[in-house]
Amino acid sequence: APVVRRTAPASSSFDGDAALAWPSPQTPGDLTRAAVDAAGRGARMEAITAAWIAATAQGDEPKLARPVHARRRAEGFEALRDASDGYRDARGHRPQVLLAKLGPLAEHTARVMYAKNFFEAGGIEAIDARPIETPDAAATVRAEHPDASLAVLCGADARYAAEAATTATALKQAGVRTLYLAGRPGDHEAAFRAAGIDEFIYIGVDVLDVLQRAHAHLTSASEGDPQ
């Protein structure tokens, strides 16, 4: 097995900045084993990456196209919440998404809670508006919350089939810029999109990707139409 050379004495642990140097690999997997061993003894990812790149300069082991940097899984969401703070400082309120509730309480509660948690993970405040009892009432509910340029339809699948398209059209005409539906669209996707629904949120979707686009929509809206 390859020898891992360290600047620290053999009896001490890595200090996080110890320089690593490995000989050119002799057999497949040499560098992987050396990297795992170094990581287990406290070497930093940056040092391991640099040693790997140096050792593979003349060898046949897989090359690293670019350095690998460790980062926290929450960093993307933290950046969105920082953007939310900036939005609040500039406009006096956080970015908002209108919870467009369809049908009675028993029908929309589960998806309302899902949508609320979904958007607030990215610093977008969920506005708990009164239920939209008929598609014609959508414009009135939207007018009661003019700062919410995003909206998300929340209801049961059967209610969606009957009312989502007409409600979506009314919300878009009332000034909602980006409209989501909580749940999978199923066979209705084409009709829902034609009515103005832009995206669908559900368990399994890339949450960070959706939220990053939501912030991009908010930035575009605030630059083009100060409220």
Side-chain angles (χ1 to χ4, degrees):
V3 177
V4 178
R5 296 196 295 274
R6 304 177 294 167
T7 58
S11 60
S12 67
S13 62
F14 284 91
D15 62 6
D17 292 312
L20 303 176
W22 299 325
S24 296
Q26 302 300 312
T27 62
D30 281 353
L31 288 185
T32 300
R33 286 187 288 273
V36 170
D37 176 69
R41 288 186 284 144
R44 299 197 322 165
M45 181 62 73
E46 290 85 351
I48 293 173
T49 302
W52 187 299
I53 291 173
T56 56
Q58 303 299 325
D60 295 327
E61 290 265 344
K63 305 295 190 296
L64 293 183
R66 56 186 174 83
V68 177
H69 300 287
R71 64 178 184 178
R72 300 185 310 282
R73 290 184 177 181
E75 282 183 4
F77 293 95
E78 291 167 355
L80 294 179
R81 289 194 288 272
D82 288 343
S84 174
D85 290 344
Y87 189 101
R88 176 202 58 202
D89 294 342
R91 298 167 66 83
H93 60 83
R94 291 195 180 278
Q96 299 177 349
V97 59
L98 177 68
L99 299 173
K101 301 182 292 187
L102 304 182
L105 184 67
E107 289 187 14
H108 63 240
T109 296
R111 280 175 167 158
V112 163
M113 294 306 300
Y114 173 76
K116 175 180 173 65
N117 292 331
F118 186 103
F119 285 99
E120 291 190 347
I124 300 175
E125 180 184 5
I127 303 301
D128 192 9
R130 61 188 176 87
I132 298 175
E133 296 179 354
T134 66
D136 292 339
T140 302
V141 173
R142 156 62 179 160
E144 293 170 352
H145 305 280
D147 291 328
S149 60
L150 310 179
V152 53
L153 291 168
C154 302
D157 289 344
R159 184 74 58 173
Y160 287 160
E163 299 178 9
T166 51
T167 303
T169 299
L171 286 170
K172 280 298 190 71
Q173 291 175 346
V176 169
R177 294 178 180 271
T178 307
L179 181 59
Y180 303 83
L181 181 141
R184 296 178 182 271
D187 295 337
H188 302 287
E189 181 171 358
F192 287 168
R193 289 191 181 278
I197 296 173
D198 300 289
E199 297 202 44
F200 305 92
I201 61 171
Y202 47 84
I203 295 174
V205 76
D206 187 332
V207 178
L208 182 59
D209 182 55
V210 173
L211 291 174
Q212 286 172 334
R213 286 199 301 276
H215 274 267
H217 294 321
L218 289 163
T219 299
S220 175
S222 64
E223 290 176 350
D225 183 18
Q227 293 179 354

